[in-house]
Structures are given as structure tokens and as C-alpha cells.
């Protein structure tokens, strides 16, 4: 599964930089794996400055030189930026330029897969379009502490993503408005069938129900076309009809194979299912269990599988190419996993992991207090004691209005303090309402 060998740099200066970057990358990997203490902003910024210095030296060496193909130095530098980007998310600096690097990598992967398969919905594009607009604002406001080289690199990556996004959107724009809902439905059914196909226990009835929905859509056509109320063929009818045909064919194949993967592709399948399942669990519990730097290992594994394909197809250890069923199943797992990585990145809170326990507790408290308020409040002030005690215990952790962890002031002070204030305000409103109710009853 290793990617093809990347040549070493020929220039002596580049080799020296490569040695430095390999050392920096290894240090970042060790820092990532250390769960005995929180990752500190000053440690990350120190390494970031070291990488930027190596980039400055590299630019000096390559200045005026003819464009060269990538060598091992470029790959290691990419790994350093990818790791640093995830570290910036982990320490809560999610709105700074370096944090955008890993996100643009994942968006580019997703867009490449959507372009390759031609199977995507407006919802897919809307989410990535919104994220890219946010990144554009971040890059536009990138301050002087970040390398112009990095900002320029990110701007190019963002533009590439926007161009891909625009090409995909043009394909959807060809569909008449009434057909877009049908198209969205077909994509949803197709993905649901692929999900059912990769579950530990295959359910025939589940796929048959999805197949029945496809047949209902098929029956709604007139002479094989999608038409409006007046009988006119809708724009994009042929494209949606082709998608429907692909969905029906896939439903037949899935029902025939019942999730059974040939032995020669079982190792790849099992590994991809494991990655998908791990990421799915993280997407449910991410507020409490995710350290964003953990995503690096998942991304690296996914990238290796993705880049090992030959002309878009998978092959086993003997070089035998995968048949259609296996090919589509493995691609679904890769794409689904990249989707989870993307979701986990955009869900990253602007709070350091050192403050996340307080932040998450306050978010839970806020939800509870809002629920109590919406359901009519409390009957007495005593009912608020558990909430007040928890709020005060968190408030008492502050020193001069700030949360100090291990002598440090972690990122995200403003976000946690704002949430704490909101919770106190809600508790106060509920207390006043309870006191008024008691006074009126007296």
C-alpha cells in the first residue's frame, strides 16, 4: 500500500533542509502521541516557526531555478504542514491560516472523488462552498505572523477547490428545478444502499425497501422521461434517468452479493470498514474524545489506499483488478471516511483541548437550562441548586477571570467565558421566574 518511491533531492542544500524537516515531523508525531499532557500553544508555535524558517531557506535555494518535479523534501514538508494544521485546530486556533491547510487537503480529496464518480448532491456542494468562503476570509485577514509563502500556498489550494466546485455546480445547474429534488433523493438512496452493503450484518429487507423507492421514481416517468404537469420533458431528464438506471443496477448487484467481498480484497475491505467505523464513532463523541491531531493517521491511511489505485481501480496483492462490485464498495468506504474527516474538522471548536472539558460541560449545562426554560421553568429556586453548584465550581477555577491550566493560559478563554456568562444569565432568569411564581402563589 505504500505510494511509489519519491526521489531524494539532488541539491545538497535541499538535502540539509530535508533532514531538518524529517526531524521536525518526527517531533510533531511524538508530540501528537503524548496523551500525558495537553498540547500547548507555545510548543506548537515554536515548531511552526522552525518549519517556516526551513521554507524560507528552501525558497532561497529554488529562487530562479526552473520548475522541478516533486521530490521527497516536498512530501515531508507537506506532512509537516498537515500536522501543524491539525495542531492549530487542537490548540483552538481554528480561525488562523495554518489551520486551513488540512481542511483544504480534505476538501480537494472530496471534490476529486465527486468529480470522478459524478455522484453528488447540492447539499454536498453547499457545505464545502460555505467552508471555502470562510477560509477565504481567514486568508484575506491573515496577519503578518504567518508566512506569506503559506498564505500564498493556501490561496492557490483554495482557488483549485473553488474551480472544481464550480465545475460540479454547473452540472447540477443543468437540471430543471423539479428534477433537483428527484436527483437529491436518488443520491440519498444510492448512499443508503452502499451503507447497508457495508454493515456487519446485511439486511435484505432494508435494501429491498430502498429498491422499492427507486421503482416508485421509475414509475413516475412518462415514456421513460421525467416530465412536468403539462407533459413537457424536463431539462436534465436524460441525466437523472441515467442516474436512476445506475441506482437500480446497483440495487440488483447489492441484493445478489449481500455484502460478500472476495477473499483477495478482504484485507483492504476490513481495514477500510475499521477506519470508517472509528471515524463514525468519533463523529458522535467528538466533543469529548477527539484530539484533532488523531485525524492525521486516518488521513494518511486513506491517502495510501486512494493513491494505490491503478487507473482509478483497486488491485489485490497479485495485481488483479477489482470487479465493479468490489470497486464501488471500496470507493464508498473511502469517500465516506473522507466525509467524516471533513465533518470532524469543520466541527472543531475554537477552544484549546486544555479548556475543552470546561467548554463541553458548559455546553451541556446550557442545553439543559434552555430545555428547562422552554418547558416552563422550575417550581422553586431549590430545583436550580444542581445547576448553580456546577456553574460556581467552574467559575471558581478562574484566576483573575481566566482559566489557568498548568501555569498556562490556553486558547479559547473568550469562548469559555462567554458560554459561562450565558449559563449564569439563564440560571438567573429561571431563578427570578421561580421567585415570582412563589410570590404570586403566596
Amino acid at each position: 500500500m505504500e505510494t511509489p518511491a519519491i526521489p531524494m533531492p539532488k541539491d545538497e542544500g535541499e538535502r540539509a533542509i530535508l533532514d531538518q524537516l524529517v526531524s521536525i515531523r518526527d517531533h510533531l508525531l511524538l508530540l501528537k502521541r503524548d496523551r500525558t499532557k495537553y498540547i500547548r500553544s507555545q510548543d506548537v508555535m515554536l515548531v511552526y516557526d522552525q518549519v517556516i524558517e526551513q521554507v524560507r531557506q528552501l525558497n532561497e535555494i529554488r529562487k530562479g531555478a526552473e520548475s522541478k518535479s516533486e521530490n521527497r523534501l516536498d512530501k515531508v514538508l507537506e506532512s509537516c504542514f498537515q500536522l501543524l494544521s491539525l495542531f492549530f485546530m487542537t490548540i483552538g486556533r481554528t480561525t488562523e491560516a495554518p489551520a486551513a491547510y488540512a481542511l483544504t487537503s480534505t476538501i480537494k480529496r472530496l471534490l476529486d472523488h465527486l468529480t470522478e464518480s459524478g455522484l453528488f448532491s447540492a447539499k454536498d456542494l453547499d457545505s464545502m462552498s460555505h467552508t471555502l468562503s470562510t477560509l477565504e476570509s481567514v486568508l484575506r485577514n491573515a496577519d503578518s505572523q504567518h508566512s506569506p509563502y503559506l498564505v500564498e500556498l493556501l490561496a492557490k489550494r483554495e482557488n483549485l477547490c473553488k474551480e472544481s466546485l464550480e465545475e460540479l455546480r454547473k452540472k447540477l445547474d443543468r437540471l430543471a428545478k423539479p428534477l433537483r429534488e428527484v436527483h437529491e433523493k436518488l443520491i440519498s438512496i444510492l448512499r443508503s444502499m452502499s451503507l447497508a452493503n457495508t454493515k456487519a450484518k446485511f439486511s435484505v429487507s432494508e435494501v429491498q425497501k430502498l429498491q422499492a423507492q427507486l421503482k416508485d421514481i421509475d414509475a413516475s416517468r412518462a415514456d421513460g422521461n421525467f416530465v412536468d404537469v403539462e407533459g413537457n420533458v424536463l431539462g436534465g431528464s436524460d441525466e437523472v434517468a441515467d442516474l436512476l438506471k445506475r441506482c437500480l443496477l446497483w440495487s440488483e448487484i447489492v441484493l445478489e452479493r449481500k455484502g460478500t467481498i472476495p477473499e483477495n480484497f478482504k484485507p483492504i475491505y476490513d481495514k477500510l470498514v475499521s477506519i470508517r467505523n472509528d471515524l463514525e464513532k468519533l463523529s458522535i463523541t467528538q466533543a469529548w474524545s477527539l484530539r484533532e491531531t488523531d485525524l492525521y493517521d486516518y488521513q494518511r491511511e486513506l491517502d495510501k489506499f486512494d493513491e494505490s489505485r491503478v487507473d482509478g481501480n483497486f488491485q489485490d496483492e497479485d495485481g488483479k483488478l477489482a470487479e465493479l462490485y468490489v470497486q464501488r464498495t471500496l470507493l464508498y468506504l473511502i469517500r465516506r471516511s473522507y466525509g467524516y474527516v471533513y465533518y470532524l474538522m469543520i466541527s472543531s471548536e475554537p477552544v484549546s483541548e486544555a479548556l475543552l472539558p470546561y467548554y463541553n460541560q458548559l455546553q451541556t449545562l446550557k442545553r439543559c437550562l434552555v430545555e428547562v426554560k422552554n418547558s416552563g421553568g422550575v417550581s422553586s429556586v431549590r430545583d436550580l441548586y444542581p445547576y448553580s453548584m456546577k456553574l460556581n465550581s467552574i467559575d471558581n477555577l478562574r484566576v483573575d477571570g481566566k482559566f489557568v491550566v498548568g501555569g498556562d493560559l490556553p486558547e479559547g478563554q473568550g469562548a469559555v467565558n462567554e458560554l459561562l456568562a450565558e449559563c449564569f444569565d439563564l440560571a438567573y432568569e429561571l431563578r427570578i421566574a421561580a421567585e415570582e411564581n412563589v410570590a404570586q402563589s403566596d
Side-chain angles (χ1 to χ4, degrees), residues 23 78 91 123 179 207 219 224 237 239 289 315 319 353-354 382 431 436:
S23 176
E78 183 182 353
I91 62 174
K123 287 180 182 176
L179 265 188
V207 179
S237 174
E239 291 176 43
S289 60
Q315 58 181 6
E353 66 167 346
R382 184 179 293 276
R431 194 186 82 188
E436 289 177 352

Side-chain angles (χ1 to χ4, degrees), residues 22-56:
V22 167
S23 176
I24 290 170
R25 183 195 60 188
D26 292 346
H27 172 68
L28 286 169
L29 289 171
L30 287 173
L31 191 62
K32 177 180 80 69
R33 294 184 185 121
D34 185 2
R35 293 279 183 171
T36 62
K37 55 182 179 291
Y38 294 119
I39 294 171
R40 305 187 310 164
S41 290
Q42 52 264 49
D43 294 336
V44 175
M45 292 310 297
L46 180 65
V47 181
Y48 172 74
D49 290 339
Q50 291 172 356
V51 171
I52 294 304
E53 172 57 24
Q54 297 305 312
V55 168
R56 186 194 65 76

Side-chain angles (χ1 to χ4, degrees), residues 15 18 43 53 57 60 120-121 124 225 273 406 426 429 431:
R15 288 194 177 194
L18 172 60
D43 294 336
E53 172 57 24
Q57 293 180 28
E60 286 294 321
F120 56 91
S121 67
D124 297 327
N225 294 313
V273 166
L426 281 165
E429 289 174 23
R431 194 186 82 188

